[in-house]
Amino acid sequence: MAQPLKSKSGSSPSGASVSSRVWLMLALATVGFAVNFWAWALLSPLGPRFKDSLDLSSFQQSLLVAVPVVVGSLGRIPVGALTDRFGGRVMFPIVSAATIVPVLYLGLAGHSSLAALLAGGFFLGIGGTAFAVGVPFVNAWFPPERRGLAIGVFGAGMGGTAISALTTVKLVDANSMSTPFLITAAVLAAYAVVAALVLRDAPGRTVPAEPLTRRLAATLELGITWQASALYAVAFGGYVAFSVYLPTYLKTGYGLTQADAANRMAGFVLLAVAMRPMGGWLSDRIGPVRVLAGSLTAVVAGAVVQSFTLDLAPVGTLAFLTMAAALGAGSGATFAPVAQRTPANQVGSVTGVVGAAGGLGGFLPPLVMGSLYGRYGTYATGLVLLAIVAAAALAYTLTGVRAAAEGGEREPRTGRRREHRAAGTTA
């Protein structure tokens, strides 16, 4: 049974019965996440074009697409804490409106040099912080037994990167370099207005009274923060790395055209997006540990196979699609225990730290891949490294994460909850 409105676990005001209003809030949050991620990913499909037009090295091209990732990742820490304090109703419009500025700069003036692109990409990272707004916002609206699915559905907003992959290059080719940026800025502005008018924070939302620094320090004392950060750095980090670097990988490693590479990257993203709610849904039913273990095993297998750089049809494509599905499901599963085991007034702070870890997990691989290819002319070593990291995460899941889950995580089959001492709440 769901807990009442003011339960220690911070369950949804709607209890076990989820009303249409709750689903509306989830839909609006998901759209906001997608729109901001669309903006966040605008530079990635254009990486090969900038490489040719500005005569960039492989490392410089990797740096160009990675800068928004690292800024958006680190920015999630303060944005998540601010969301705990002010709520998603305030933070969603602010983040969306702030992202308009770098989008317009890049589209109108900031694409003529590497320095200008890096400056614009730095502030474009603001769009990536929307994740840390949406998770605590959605979490407060849903009862504990539905949070895995709800956070998974919200996480599908990462499909905004697919919108960028499918439209950016085509819009540039058909019109001008500024076109996709102007369209994205207009959509961001429209969403900021709608969010300000329609979004509402959950009734009874717990507002922390402690200063920001004290809340962040308390967040770092929770075991779930570190467990989820380690796993999200691999699962979501792997997704981010592929979503920003796959066009370059396919164009350089297989000689595909820019448009073909962008379309294939969009397919990778769409499958990962579709699997993220599935990962959350499965976690509600069989437990996050099992879902994570299966996902990480699939990532190891896919990375090992692709390290041999086999033909795309069919083995290479199957390897990439396997990794896409696994990384999406793993990302959804990671946040199920966060939603279940984190005190209600710390969900934003924990989400910020975990989200930052995931984004940073996606920052390093493109730089490593670019450097390794520039030196050795192959991506095989980078994929072997991915397999090793995923295998380490799998071992951690089956040991430390499983032990913590058995000590405090809600039992998905029976709905019973046991006290989670570290969080000071029921989960």
Side-chain angles (χ1 to χ4, degrees):
M1 297 294 294
Q3 298 299 311
L5 170 61
K6 294 182 180 180
S7 68
K8 292 181 181 180
S9 60
S11 60
S12 167
S14 57
S17 177
V18 179
S19 68
S20 58
R21 185 189 185 199
V22 176
W23 291 113
L24 174 62
M25 294 299 106
L26 173 59
L28 287 173
T30 304
V31 170
F33 182 27
V35 169
N36 279 277
F37 251 44
W38 175 8
W40 194 39
L42 280 171
L43 290 181
S44 175
L46 297 173
R49 183 182 296 259
F50 289 131
K51 182 179 188 298
D52 295 337
S53 63
L54 300 177
D55 194 25
L56 305 180
S57 67
S58 295
F59 178 80
Q60 288 174 324
Q61 181 186 355
S62 301
L63 183 64
L64 172 64
V65 300
V67 163
V69 173
V70 69
V71 176
S73 303
L74 293 176
R76 292 175 185 180
I77 298 176
V79 168
L82 289 171
T83 302
D84 277 341
R85 178 66 179 84
F86 297 105
R89 181 187 181 185
V90 172
M91 294 302 296
F92 254 128
I94 289 177
V95 168
S96 301
T99 306
I100 294 173
V101 177
V103 168
L104 289 177
Y105 167 75
L106 286 167
L108 298 176
H111 54 261
S112 58
S113 68
L114 177 61
L117 285 168
L118 291 177
F122 181 91
F123 291 101
L124 193 64
I126 295 171
T129 67
F131 179 77
V133 178
V135 170
F137 176 83
V138 170
N139 186 80
W141 275 107
F142 281 81
E145 59 269 29
R146 296 201 183 187
R147 286 176 183 165
L149 174 61
I151 299 301
V153 170
F154 167 75
M158 67 187 190
T161 56
I163 300 176
S164 178
L166 289 170
T167 62
T168 302
V169 174
K170 294 177 181 178
L171 288 170
V172 170
D173 289 340
N175 298 279
S176 66
M177 180 62 71
S178 63
T179 302
F181 294 90
L182 293 175
I183 292 174
T184 307
V187 175
L188 281 167
Y191 177 77
V193 172
V194 171
L197 295 175
V198 181
L199 277 185
R200 294 293 183 271
D201 290 311
R205 183 180 71 88
T206 304
V207 179
E210 298 84 359
L212 175 62
T213 53
R214 186 177 301 172
R215 281 188 283 131
L216 289 176
T219 296
L220 297 178
E221 293 178 359
L222 295 175
I224 185 62
T225 302
W226 297 104
Q227 293 166 17
S229 293
L231 296 174
Y232 206 56
V234 179
F236 185 71
Y239 162 80
V240 170
F242 277 120
S243 68
V244 300
Y245 198 70
L246 196 54
T248 299
Y249 177 99
L250 293 173
K251 185 175 185 295
T252 305
Y254 287 94
L256 301 185
T257 65
Q258 183 180 358
D260 191 11
N263 288 337
R264 290 174 184 266
M265 186 271 272
F268 181 99
V269 168
L270 289 173
L271 179 56
V273 167
M275 288 302 298
R276 181 154 182 162
M278 182 63 68
W281 179 79
L282 286 172
S283 295
D284 285 340
R285 281 150 182 79
I286 66 174
V289 170
R290 292 180 180 178
V291 180
L292 283 164
S295 298
L296 291 168
T297 299
V299 172
V300 172
V304 169
V305 169
Q306 187 54 33
S307 68
F308 292 99
T309 319
L310 303 174
D311 291 341
L312 281 178
V315 179
T317 298
L318 289 175
F320 276 120
L321 292 180
T322 296
M323 287 189 286
L327 292 170
S331 296
T334 301
F335 266 90
V338 171
Q340 294 167 346
R341 294 166 52 194
T342 304
N345 63 347
Q346 289 182 274
V347 173
S349 298
V350 172
T351 298
V353 174
V354 176
L360 290 175
F363 170 73
L364 187 59
L367 299 181
V368 172
M369 295 288 275
S371 298
L372 290 173
Y373 187 85
R375 183 168 184 176
Y376 300 110
T378 178
Y379 291 116
T381 304
L383 287 159
V384 170
L385 290 175
L386 171 61
I388 293 172
V389 171
L394 174 60
Y396 179 56
T397 298
L398 296 175
T399 54
V401 176
R402 171 176 285 173
E406 291 174 350
E409 192 172 68
R410 177 172 62 90
E411 296 175 5
R413 292 188 177 180
T414 64
R416 289 192 297 114
R417 295 170 179 82
R418 290 178 285 183
E419 184 179 1
H420 188 268
R421 297 179 181 177
T425 183
T426 57

